[in-house]
């Protein structure tokens, strides 16, 4: 929810207030994740995932219904796209169809070695090239299936003696 302070009063921002605030923002002052990705288009975003999973987890459903904002304004207010509709780095990472196509190195690499050092043979290796929601959904079972030892003391490994419960808030895609 966005609030504005016109004069001595404070009130909830309407559509026009949000538009004015968005225009005031200067692109060069934005952090990397809020900057537009030059060659990206709205087609690079999974809009169904945005409406089904991302938006309801970020904004109260009552506020979404009350505001009745178009999709482009919703994307912009969540900083997933610029006010002009160009996807931002955050947009590609969070709900992009293929984030690494617009952001080099935007993937998670999982490697499990058979030994304790990096020179040991590789037991399992995978690259997860999805948006953050899809990666989180795939990463948990991958970690569960590969977590077999824990480090004790100065680098010695021994079998895990207790079950670890993993918590995450991402919904399966």
């Amino acid at each position: 929810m966005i609030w504005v302070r016109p004069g001595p009063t404070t009130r909830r921002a309407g559509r026009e207030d949000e538009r004015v605030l968005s225009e005031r923002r200067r692109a060069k002052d934005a952090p990397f994740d809020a900057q537009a990705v030059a060659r990206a288009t709205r087609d690079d975003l999974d809009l169904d995932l945005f409406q089904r999973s991302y938006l309801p987890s970020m904004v109260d459903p009552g506020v979404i219904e009350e505001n009745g904002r178009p999709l482009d304004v919703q994307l912009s207010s969540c900083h997933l796209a610029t006010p002009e509709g160009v996807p931002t780095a955050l947009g590609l990472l969070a709900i992009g169809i293929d984030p690494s196509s617009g952001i080099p190195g935007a993937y998670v690499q999982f490697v499990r070695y058979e030994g304790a050092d990096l020179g040991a043979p590789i037991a399992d290796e995978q690259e997860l090239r999805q948006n953050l929601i899809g990666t989180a959904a795939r990463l948990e079972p991958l970690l569960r299936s590969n977590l077999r030892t824990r480090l004790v003391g100065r680098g010695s490994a021994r079998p895990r003696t207790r079950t670890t419960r993993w918590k995450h808030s991402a919904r399966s895609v």
Side-chain angles (χ1 to χ4, degrees):
M1 197 172 319
I2 298 174
W3 297 85
V4 292
R5 189 167 174 83
T9 63
T10 301
R11 64 177 169 80
R12 222 157 117 182
R15 288 185 195 181
E16 186 63 22
D17 296 319
E18 285 190 21
R19 186 189 62 75
V20 169
L21 291 171
S22 291
E23 289 175 359
R24 287 184 184 174
R25 233 181 334 200
R26 296 185 310 203
K28 64 182 179 181
D29 291 341
F32 170 76
D33 61 343
Q35 292 180 12
V37 176
R39 295 176 303 255
T41 67
R42 186 174 160 176
D43 293 337
D44 294 321
L45 300 177
D46 186 341
L47 300 177
D48 181 54
L49 177 65
F50 172 70
Q51 291 177 315
R52 182 176 32 89
S53 180
Y54 187 91
L55 190 60
S57 69
M58 299 300 289
V59 180
D60 182 76
V63 172
I64 296 169
E65 187 177 319
E66 176 186 321
N67 289 337
R69 293 187 172 100
L71 185 61
D72 287 335
V73 175
Q74 291 175 338
L75 288 166
S76 177
S77 67
C78 290
H79 303 285
L80 301 177
T82 65
E84 296 79 29
V86 179
T88 61
L90 175 63
L92 287 180
L93 291 171
I95 61 167
I97 294 171
D98 181 13
S100 60
S101 69
I103 303 172
Y107 65 93
V108 174
Q109 183 177 17
F110 172 83
V111 179
R112 184 172 60 88
Y113 296 95
E114 288 183 13
D117 61 3
L118 296 178
I122 294 175
D124 190 10
E125 179 178 21
Q126 292 185 33
E127 285 184 3
L128 306 179
R129 293 186 176 266
Q130 291 180 296
N131 55 49
L132 293 174
I133 296 170
T135 297
R138 286 187 56 206
L139 191 57
E140 181 179 4
L142 179 65
L143 292 175
R144 281 183 188 270
S145 67
N146 282 283
L147 187 60
R148 295 193 180 104
T149 61
R150 66 177 174 170
L151 295 178
V152 178
R154 305 194 95 226
S156 62
R158 70 176 187 198
R160 189 175 74 182
T161 56
R162 64 186 176 104
T163 303
T164 303
R165 294 184 184 255
W166 295 92
K167 294 181 183 178
H168 72 90
S169 60
R171 297 178 189 172
S172 297
V173 182

